[in-house]
Amino acid sequence: MEIKKSLFSRILITVLVLVFVSAAAFAGGQKEGSATQTSKAVDARFNVGFTTDQALSTLIPDESWQYMEMGCIFWPLVYDQLWIMGPAPDYKPIPMLAESWETKDNQTWTFHLRKNAKFHDGTPVTAEDVAFTLKYLPASDPAWEYEDTDCDDIQVIDDHTIQFTLTAKHGGDYPPVFWTPILPKHIWEPYKDDMHSYDNAGAVGSGPFKLKEFKADQYIWLERNEDYWGNKPGAQTVVLKTYGSAEARNLALKKGEIDMIGYNGIDPLSLSSFKDTQNIEVKIDPGITIDWLSFNLHKENAITDINVRKAIMYGIDIDRIISIAYLGYAEPADSFMYKELPDHNPDLPQFTYNIEKAKAILAEAGYRDTDADGTLNDPETGENLVFELLGPSDWTQEVKMITLIKEQMSDIGISIKPKIVDLDTFYEFWYAPEEDGFDISIGNEEPGPHADWIWEFARSWDNGGEGWNCAYYNNAQFDEYLDDMAEQSDRGARKADLFKMQEILADDLPYGFLLRWKSINPVRTDRFTGYTSTMGGVSTWINPWSYFNVKPAE
Amino acid sequence: MSNTKAELSINKKRKQKIRNQKIKDFLYLLIDHKMGKIGVGIIVIFLFVALAAPLLRTVSPHQSGNASEILIPPNSQFILGTDDLGRDVWSQVLYGSRVSLLIGFVSALATVVTGTLVGIIAGFYGGILEEVLMRIVDFFMMLPALPLMIVLAAVLGPNIWNIIFVVTLISWPTTARVVRSQVLSLKERPFVEASRCIGAKNSFLMFGEIFPNVVPILFAEAVIMITEAIYAEAVLSFLGLGDPVRMSWGSMLHFAFDSGTMARAPWWVLPPIVSIILLIIGFSFLGTAVSDILKPGYKEKKGL
Amino acid sequence: MKTLQFILKKLTGALITIVAIAIANFAIFRIAPGDPIRMMFKDPRVSTEQLQAMRVKFGLDKSIGGQFIDYVKQLLHGNLGFSFWQKRPVADVIGDRIGQTLILVVTALVIATTLGIILGAISGWRNGSKTDRTILSLSLVLYSIPTFAMGILLLLVFGFILLLFPLGGITTPASGFTGFMYLKDVLWHMVLPAFSIVLWYVGEYILLTRSSMVEVMDQDYIVTARSKGLRESVILRKHALRNALLPVVTLSGVNFAFAIAGVIEAETVFSWPGIGRLTYDAVMKRDYPLLQGIFLLFAVSVVVANFIVDLIYTRIDPRIKTGAAHE
């Protein structure tokens, strides 16, 4: 009996203590918040907000650099590259670790490194590190394998000169080895055969910022690299913070907890709450993301009929989608190429919303509602025109788009079954059209101004296109133009190839291009100035410039 | 032989009569019980809403609006305002009740049927069969319910029937356990013995004699299961694992939470939350009332 | 002797359950569709050789039987395997998160138990009174509000509208706090998520304590104590509550284990980096080894909690016949 008594009283005391402590913590915590606020302004801390699903779980150099939003920011800040794509409007290549480069035949390239670059641990950056990175990084993960990092032969000429021969010629306006972090050989050497096996907890790079603390899925705390070879950033500290939802993140911006949104800006719906807010400037930039529909040509149903795909495109009221799902902050797209770029083909067929035309195309091709259930029937099989429309639940706007497309398709007698899955499952279905996990799918990418790789989405499935080709598309002619384009250094010939490629895609319709949404970025101007805009906004994979350029406000 | 048959049929009629009287008494007691009254009231209202949804709605719950109709606060046209696609929140709430009630009732039915079968068989036959069945029951009861539901819902795909399946799979063991312990005491009772003596088959003993006596307990169990199924559907949908075709209260919350406009549009968040809470409260109250009524002596106290 | 036998019987039962769960664990995730290796590479251009290399690395190239033997071998060595997604040992991944969940669940449950016992005792003691009815309906209402719904309400009101508490997370990012300041920071972040859990469990504890109290109140010894003219408060504390607490103790034990598994809701709403969120992410990433580890952890904690509760039961309530405890 004694046991029970002491147990109960002990529990009671513990609880009372805990309640008291949490009450005290609450009272104290609030004071804490305001205390840090004032001290933050002093140490020039640049706070940037992400959402949980954008946060990094590890610092391993795997796909997390390219496929996780926080990774797209973290890596370029901490790891220097040979060269970097400059800011808008001309997006010129800018030397970074490499001072200069040259090539005679577009296949063998020589890069001259600057002599004063050092890793964060003090070791100088040499050609050995570059050779090491080129040799082992692309082999470790497909995320690093591109035609411009695929080398046959790598030679270290001296400490600061490296020469390598690519497996294929590399043309265009930019040198090869785009967007590749140079890793310190002395740290990675033991893990070269399996770079996933090193947790990279220290993250030693040579970039303008050094890692101070990394909390998986929570935050990354960076400090300015005082020994940096180039211009030192104006912010002494950069903190990439994570919030549970976009709404929490947006509120944090309003409260001054963060100065900038980490990726893709804000939802158009949230814009009104930032209008006329003190100390906040809203920047609206052209988008970087292009949304499209992938039609699965592997399916054995009516989706493989070009008439059906055309009717679908004519049946989509893109203006309505833009006005409702994006509140007008988007523009129609008709290609992987942005309309303002010189390589955009201006003569592509436009699928302007025309419900009668859509119906006429279907009727002419023999699709009739034979069973009078409101949905058209396939003349061959007699089955209803029912298509699964795949999309990831994480993409809020695209889910809205799916709802709207479903409505519009029912107007032309096509029944859409939305298939909303989590993002990882989505990618698994999307990139595997041969497994018939969808009929139509929402898809998007952020090609950016230097994007020869985006065309790989349409490389013939049977000709090495398996991977990115998410329509099971085959067209040998397209591949010819694509291969020629990649190797061409002649501007005019490249442009001709690209025009032709865009034309072929518009005729074959493996992909139905939908729209390009604008980037809406509220930024705080009371603590920092010098935010840099490019397409896609102030902070994207092609734009680390805001982090380099911001300065504490006077 | 025919004699016995006639006796049995008379017996049956008498039993039927007693049963009808019992149901009447039960309903009387339920309405008499304060919580029972409230619970039944809430449930009846939601049932009405679910059935009459097409009449009560102003527009289709899935029909998107114009650009000017996005996230507008409650007004005369949209009683509860609109969501981020300009869809009517009021209609969504109405139709959401269908999903919750459907999942609640069907899962509870499936759970009770499975649980009863296993419970009666285990309790009645005993021995190795019982041992094996009860081990399986124990095993299922040890599994963490919510994580398992998430795994299965993610694996099977978002679909209302999968959710029902998952909920049933998780909940039937509780019922099986309760039924079995009832059967254990029931099968020793004289009326079962008597029936056995006149040569009744096992199946008749189980489902003709024992089963009617577990029905009251099953009713209480079913009410609890409905509550749990409604809860489970709401959680799964909130986590984004709900049926994308049917708007439920949980998925409304999922979209509202994801849209980043919760604070701006509380009219979109509060109605589904309030509905979930009210409906669960309704069933909880009903459950409390039922278990009160089933307590020995309650009936007598009320003078029946 | 009987007690020892009872303990042994319980122990074997617990072990059998754990083994069964370990096996089922393996099976559940293998029959799930989706190729985890393919999911490891977000880049779709991964070559068949690379996929094969990864399969070999994680032992997924072997037959199901071979994989099972590997799995059992690993388990016997206390090794939970290697996470596909985070590419480090499962034990490390879980280890990073479990503390954050424990602090949340323990705090919430302790508060819930205490409040529940106090309110439940009052309610049961004043059985039938107005106070009783108020507490009873309150607890039923609280018990009917899903944790995530309560979480959203708390977040909306105290976070978004009143701006009183943080909107999520466990600490102020990059605060550099240490020691007491750090603890304070964590507790401050914990208030809303903890209360969304507390408010659900408190209903359960009130209901249980109350019904237990009501039962005890009818017992002879209370009647005797009353007839001896003892003060009400003495009877409440010394006789009634002491005996009524027994089932509550049982429930706290079992609840503790289940609460860890059920904390997903609060962790999602408040982006609390604990084991609940981890489970959800692991499901989405098809990270079998991590899921197996998490499920084993859940199962073991439930089994162990049950076992301990059984022990406490026999210890503090000798009235329980050890042989009949199975019923």
Side-chain angles (χ1 to χ4, degrees), chain B residues 273-287:
Chain B
I273 289 195
V274 170
S275 306
I276 293 172
I277 294 173
L278 269 182
L279 187 57
I280 296 184
I281 286 178
F283 281 105
S284 296
F285 277 23
L286 176 65

Side-chain angles (χ1 to χ4, degrees), chain A residues 404-424:
Chain A
L404 295 171
I405 290 177
K406 177 182 149 90
E407 278 176 24
Q408 294 166 3
M409 286 302 104
S410 78
D411 294 342
I412 60 166
I414 291 176
S415 165
I416 294 289
K417 270 175 66 186
K419 184 170 178 178
I420 312 290
V421 296
D422 61 277
L423 192 58
D424 293 88

Side-chain angles (χ1 to χ4, degrees), chain A residues 1 3-4 8 12 15 21 25-26 29-30 32 36 45 57-58 60 62-63 67-68 139 142-143 145-146 194 196 217-219 221 239 241 244 247-248 251 422 424-425 428 431-432 467-468, chain C residues 34-35 38-46 50 54 57 85-87 97 110 114 117 160 163-165 167 170-171 173-174 176-177 181 184 187-188 241-243 245 271 273 284-286 315:
Chain A
M1 282 291 149
I3 302 169
K4 266 187 291 173
F8 177 60
L12 192 70
V15 171
V21 171
F26 164 47
Q30 265 191 314
E32 215 46 65
T36 43
R45 182 177 280 220
S57 298
T58 75
I60 296 170
D62 57 0
E63 70 276 357
Y67 290 90
M68 296 302 289
E145 253 187 282
Y146 286 87
D194 181 8
H196 290 162
D217 303 314
Q218 294 181 52
Y219 62 84
W221 180 355
V239 184
K241 300 180 177 184
E247 187 163 19
L251 184 62
D422 61 277
D424 293 88
T425 310
E428 195 173 301
Y431 284 128
W468 274 348
Chain C
D35 181 354
R38 196 157 174 169
M39 279 196 170
M40 284 172 70
F41 295 97
K42 274 210 176 137
D43 197 296
R45 296 167 306 155
V46 58
Q50 271 164 323
M54 273 296 165
K57 185 175 171 189
W85 161 43
Q86 301 214 355
K87 302 180 179 81
R97 298 289 193 100
V110 168
T114 316
I117 288 175
F160 281 110
L163 305 176
L164 282 176
F165 291 97
L167 303 172
I170 182 168
T171 54
F177 290 150
M181 294 290 279
K184 263 168 88 175
L187 285 172
W188 182 44
L241 198 52
R242 199 180 272 187
N243 289 295
L245 274 186
S271 57
M284 293 314 169
K285 310 269 186 220
R286 305 286 187 275
R315 186 73 205 270

